[in-house]
């Protein structure tokens, strides 16, 4: 099921257990019980699935980051495709196309970003469904530069210069530069800490990171975490698309906007975050894309004032999805073509249900596996108004 847990039924109750595969027989212990629902913990796998493999990460099963390391990668992709289809049918009553394309790449060392917690002189991730720290010294899904930085930070923890009030920190990198962002702290972190980090972490930059010389990304701006698949994600969303006018909603720093501006005569990019909008404008100007206009507004606010639809609208919403207001406005405006880039199949099913009921048809659906070893999946859907 979506969420990384196995589902079983026992005495009329639903039982959720993590780190199992379909068809396995296990001995489990109930951890949390509600009427009709049990969340359990596996004590022993009595009959493993033929596909089960040994997880390569020593933290797997404790760290809450990965869910599928006990399955070979091709099997993970098959599971995700099945989960996507089931969520669309069950929650949205939407029938997916007969063929769902799958875009994947290297399943290890792909993450360009890591958010780490600091506690009692240790650095790591949270354990699954817990606030307890799982201390680490490396992360197999992190990029080489992410792991180099983790190693440097771990070596710094015992030094008196380390700020004991620092609670969480983020690493972001393009494998040449490193951006270090303080996410949670009990009081401001002094500049001298970052100066010390710059002496210890090769490639550390202060301020925005210039990702591969193409995208300036400030500390509060979103950027895709898979260093191998961002360009292929863009290609999947824009396959066969070009024309006069396009709209990019939830535009971020311009990952999709810049490519749209090379295919359309006029592009409007809408983003609510001020820092991201400034990054987007910088990225467009550097690329020489004078036909790209950035608007700092919410998608709901922008659509409410839009009188005529563009030929194409690209939507890359957060995990909560488009929501009722945006979907209703899209239905009223009726752009000829849409592309939705969704990171949650449940909210995608809800949004697609309304769009399909209004007369939109699904032309193409692609599963882009931005998050190998985890239950998360990205779906690109192209739709046409009939």
């Amino acid at each position: 099921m979506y969420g990384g847990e196995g589902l079983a039924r026992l005495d009329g109750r639903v039982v959720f257990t993590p780190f199992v595969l379909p068809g396995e027989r296990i001995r489990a212990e109930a951890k949390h019980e509600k009427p009709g629902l049990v969340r359990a913990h596996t004590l022993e796998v009595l009959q493993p699935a033929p596909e089960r493999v040994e997880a390569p990460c020593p933290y797997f099963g404790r760290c809450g980051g990965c869910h599928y390391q006990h399955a070979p990668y091709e099997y993970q992709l098959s599971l995700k495709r099945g989960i996507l289809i089931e969520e669309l049918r069950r929650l949205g009553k939407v029938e997916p196309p007969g063929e769902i394309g799958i875009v994947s790449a290297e399943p290890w060392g792909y993450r360009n970003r890591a958010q780490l917690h600091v506690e009692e002189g240790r650095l790591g991730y949270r354990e699954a469904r817990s606030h307890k720290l799982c201390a680490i010294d490396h992360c197999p899904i992190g990029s080489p530069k992410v792991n180099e930085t983790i190693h440097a930070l771990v070596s710094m923890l015992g030094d008196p210069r380390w700020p004991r009030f620092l609670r969480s920190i983020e690493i972001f990198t393009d494998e040449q530069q490193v951006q270090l962002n303080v996410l949670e702290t009990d009081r401001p972190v002094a500049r001298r800490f970052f100066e010390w980090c710059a002496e210890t972490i090769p490639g550390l930059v202060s301020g925005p990171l210039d990702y591969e010389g193409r995208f300036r990304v400030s500390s509060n701006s979103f950027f895709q975490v898979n260093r191998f698949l961002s360009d292929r994600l863009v290609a999947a969303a824009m396959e066969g698309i070009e024309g006069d006018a396009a709209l990019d909603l939830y535009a971020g720093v311009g990952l999709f906007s810049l490519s749209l501006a090379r295919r359309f005569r006029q592009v409007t990019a809408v983003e609510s975050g001020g820092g991201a909008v400034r990054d987007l404008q910088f990225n467009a100007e550097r690329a020489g894309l004078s036909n790209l206009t950035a608007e700092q507004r919410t998608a709901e606010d922008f659509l409410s004032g839009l009188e005529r639809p563009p030929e194409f609208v690209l939507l890359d919403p957060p995990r909560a999805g488009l929501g009722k207001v945006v979907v209703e406005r899209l239905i009223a405006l009726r752009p000829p073509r849409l592309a939705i880039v969704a990171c949650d199949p449940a909210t995608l099913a809800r949004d697609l249900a309304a769009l399909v009921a209004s007369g939109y048809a699904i032309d193409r659906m692609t599963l882009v596996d931005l998050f190998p070893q985890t239950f998360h999946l990205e779906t690109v859907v192209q739709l046409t108004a009939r």
Side-chain angles (χ1 to χ4, degrees):
M1 61 168 287
Y2 184 68
E5 295 176 307
L7 184 152
R9 297 185 187 276
L10 179 67
D11 300 329
R13 295 188 296 175
V14 173
V15 181
F16 293 130
T17 311
F19 313 121
V20 297
L21 295 177
E24 292 188 326
R25 290 182 62 245
I26 65 170
R27 186 167 65 91
E29 176 185 29
K31 287 294 187 182
H32 304 284
E33 298 189 48
K34 296 180 181 180
L37 174 66
V38 178
R39 292 198 177 276
H41 170 70
T42 301
L43 298 175
E44 182 182 3
V45 178
L46 302 173
Q47 184 177 325
E51 297 85 3
R52 178 176 280 270
V53 296
E54 190 72 24
C57 178
Y59 312 112
F60 181 67
R62 288 193 299 120
C63 168
C66 289
H67 317 94
Y68 288 164
Q69 287 192 20
H70 57 307
Y73 188 51
E74 290 302 318
Y75 189 61
Q76 292 182 33
L77 295 175
S78 176
L79 287 176
K80 290 185 179 185
R81 184 182 185 277
I83 289 168
L84 173 61
I85 291 171
E86 195 272 339
E87 293 284 290
L88 293 174
R89 287 173 175 168
R90 181 175 63 87
L91 298 177
K93 304 300 185 287
V94 172
E95 188 61 29
E99 182 178 345
I100 298 176
I102 295 180
V103 175
S104 62
E106 172 58 46
W108 301 100
Y110 64 87
R111 284 194 67 100
N112 58 28
R113 190 183 296 269
Q115 296 182 359
L116 300 153
H117 299 274
V118 186
E119 193 174 286
E120 297 177 352
R122 300 177 302 153
L123 185 79
Y125 300 121
R126 293 297 184 200
E127 293 190 4
R129 296 185 178 277
S130 170
H131 292 292
K132 186 177 179 181
L133 186 77
C134 174
I136 67 165
D137 61 12
H138 73 288
C139 176
I141 65 172
S143 75
K145 199 69 172 176
V146 163
N147 277 293
E148 180 183 74
T149 306
I150 289 174
H151 180 77
L153 292 173
V154 169
S155 71
M156 297 164 68
L157 287 170
D159 193 291
R161 290 173 288 180
W162 184 272
R164 303 302 164 191
F165 46 83
L166 179 59
R167 302 300 174 210
S168 65
I169 197 164
E170 178 185 67
I171 303 164
F172 178 52
T173 179
D174 66 350
E175 295 307 289
Q176 300 298 319
Q177 308 160 83
V178 177
Q179 185 184 76
L180 208 58
N181 303 314
V182 172
L183 301 180
E184 185 182 359
T185 181
D186 292 341
R187 61 178 188 265
V189 178
R191 181 184 296 273
R192 62 179 175 272
F193 170 71
F194 294 99
E195 293 171 349
W196 176 39
C197 288
E199 297 170 3
T200 311
I201 301 170
L204 188 71
V205 298
S206 59
L209 187 146
D210 193 12
Y211 196 89
E212 297 179 344
R214 296 191 296 158
F215 297 98
R216 190 182 77 176
V217 184
S218 296
S219 60
N220 59 346
S221 297
F222 171 79
F223 197 78
Q224 294 291 350
V225 303
N226 191 308
R227 67 191 181 105
F228 300 123
L229 286 178
S230 58
D231 288 339
R232 294 177 68 185
L233 176 69
V234 173
M238 298 186 192
E239 187 173 346
I241 301 295
E242 61 182 6
D244 287 321
L247 173 61
D248 182 10
L249 297 178
Y250 316 95
V253 302
L255 177 64
F256 295 98
S257 306
L258 269 60
S259 291
L260 281 172
R262 297 184 177 100
R263 292 169 176 251
F264 287 82
R265 290 183 178 86
Q266 184 60 48
V267 174
T268 302
V270 179
E271 166 59 42
S272 61
V277 168
R278 289 188 290 274
D279 287 341
L280 196 161
Q281 291 169 330
F282 176 90
N283 295 331
E285 289 172 8
R286 178 168 61 178
L289 298 170
S290 58
N291 60 330
L292 174 55
T293 302
E295 295 266 358
Q296 186 182 349
R297 297 168 70 181
T298 66
E300 293 84 352
D301 180 50
F302 183 85
L303 289 176
S304 69
L306 192 63
E307 296 181 357
R308 296 179 59 187
E311 295 166 74
F312 177 67
V313 179
L314 188 141
L315 307 109
D316 183 16
R319 194 164 300 279
L322 302 177
K324 185 177 179 180
V325 174
V326 170
V327 169
E328 288 181 348
R329 190 61 187 144
L330 288 171
I331 291 171
L333 287 166
R334 208 163 185 77
R337 301 194 70 176
L338 304 174
I340 302 173
V341 181
C343 58
D344 187 317
T347 57
L348 173 64
R350 177 202 65 199
D351 295 335
L352 282 181
L355 290 167
V356 170
S358 76
Y360 275 93
I362 298 173
D363 293 330
R364 186 180 291 110
M365 185 175 292
T366 307
L367 190 163
V368 184
D369 194 32
L370 295 182
F371 313 99
Q373 317 307 330
T374 82
F375 68 78
H376 300 290
L377 58 96
E378 201 90 356
T379 310
V380 178
V381 186
Q382 288 189 0
L383 304 103
T384 302
R386 302 301 192 201

